[in-house]
Amino acid sequence: MHGIVYVDNKGNHLSPLYTWQDGRGNEPFGDTTYAEYLGCSSGYGHVTDFYNRTNNLVPEGASSFCTIQDYFVMRLCKLTKALIHTTDAASFGLYDLKKRCFTCDSNLEVVDGYRLAGSYKNIPVSVAIGDNQASVLSSLSSDREALINIGTGSQVSVICEKAEVSKDFEVRPYFEEKYLAVGAALCGGRAYAVLKEFFKS
């Protein structure tokens, strides 16, 4: 999620994976930072791309970028252009949740709903979807349930009908014109590690 790989017009990668941990967006840009200038967080795809473009670091021949999972789907299906699901597109930043499109100039092809990208050895291959959305899709049996994930971080996810802005939770795109309300914390697995060390001591 959030990270990008630059690709050429034949679908070949031209760069390493810039992950969500890319902190260059926090470097000074004018009287602010690259991330704050765009109104996004450092490590989001559009911030990484903005930093690279501003500093002439985009690989020669790059026609676009995509997530690593989009690139994997491209290779499996022998595509020349990535199909980026709205659940991944939103992770790049500069994305309008209600209109389901970017708020900046973009040549990225964004798709919605349940979509096939192609096939690999006659096996259908889906367009890649966001990791949080994938966990909800595979775990909840109804819209009246909540999912609690504890991994590197921790999340509480609930399916909702509207993209309501709140300081208490983040809203992410989901399927069938619905959204996820997500309360997320950075402490997940780390909290277990601290607890383990506490009991150990």
Side-chain angles (χ1 to χ4, degrees):
M1 295 298 294
H2 308 296
I4 61 171
V5 175
Y6 286 101
V7 294
D8 64 18
N9 59 11
K10 294 182 179 177
N12 300 308
H13 77 280
L14 297 175
S15 74
L17 169 64
Y18 295 93
T19 74
W20 61 274
Q21 293 178 310
D22 183 0
R24 297 174 302 159
N26 292 325
E27 292 184 12
F29 179 74
D31 58 357
T32 183
T33 66
Y34 288 88
E36 288 173 353
Y37 180 80
L38 292 183
C40 295
S41 297
S42 186
Y44 280 31
H46 275 117
V47 175
T48 299
D49 181 56
F50 178 55
Y51 181 92
N52 287 343
R53 289 188 184 285
T54 303
N55 294 283
N56 297 313
L57 297 173
V58 175
E60 186 178 344
S63 63
S64 188
F65 61 79
C66 60
T67 67
I68 191 68
Q69 57 267 30
D70 296 323
Y71 179 72
F72 187 63
V73 169
M74 285 173 63
R75 302 316 300 163
L76 282 176
C77 300
K78 298 181 180 177
L79 303 176
T80 58
K81 187 171 183 179
L83 298 174
I84 300 173
H85 196 269
T86 186
T87 56
D88 270 332
S91 76
F92 290 150
L94 305 180
Y95 192 79
D96 187 314
L97 283 175
K98 293 180 180 177
K99 294 180 181 176
R100 298 206 177 209
C101 64
F102 290 112
T103 58
C104 61
D105 288 336
S106 174
N107 67 346
L108 302 177
E109 186 174 346
V110 179
V111 298
D112 206 356
Y114 306 102
R115 291 283 299 268
L116 289 179
S119 64
Y120 173 73
K121 295 184 177 179
N122 296 320
I123 301 169
V125 178
S126 170
V127 170
I129 63 174
D131 56 0
N132 180 214
Q133 292 87 346
S135 68
V136 171
L137 182 65
S138 63
S139 301
L140 297 187
S141 59
S142 83
D143 293 4
R144 301 177 68 183
E145 298 176 339
L147 175 64
I148 299 174
N149 271 339
I150 299 178
T152 305
S154 56
Q155 301 167 328
V156 178
S157 305
V158 179
I159 300 170
C160 57
E161 300 287 335
K162 297 180 180 178
E164 298 295 337
V165 177
S166 170
K167 63 179 178 60
D168 298 319
F169 57 85
E170 182 182 346
V171 177
R172 299 173 180 171
Y174 193 58
F175 297 94
E176 298 171 342
E177 298 183 4
K178 294 181 181 178
Y179 302 89
L180 291 183
V182 182
L186 292 176
C187 59
R190 179 68 184 145
Y192 281 131
V194 169
L195 185 63
K196 174 193 166 200
E197 289 304 315
F198 170 74
F199 282 115
K200 189 176 176 182
S201 66

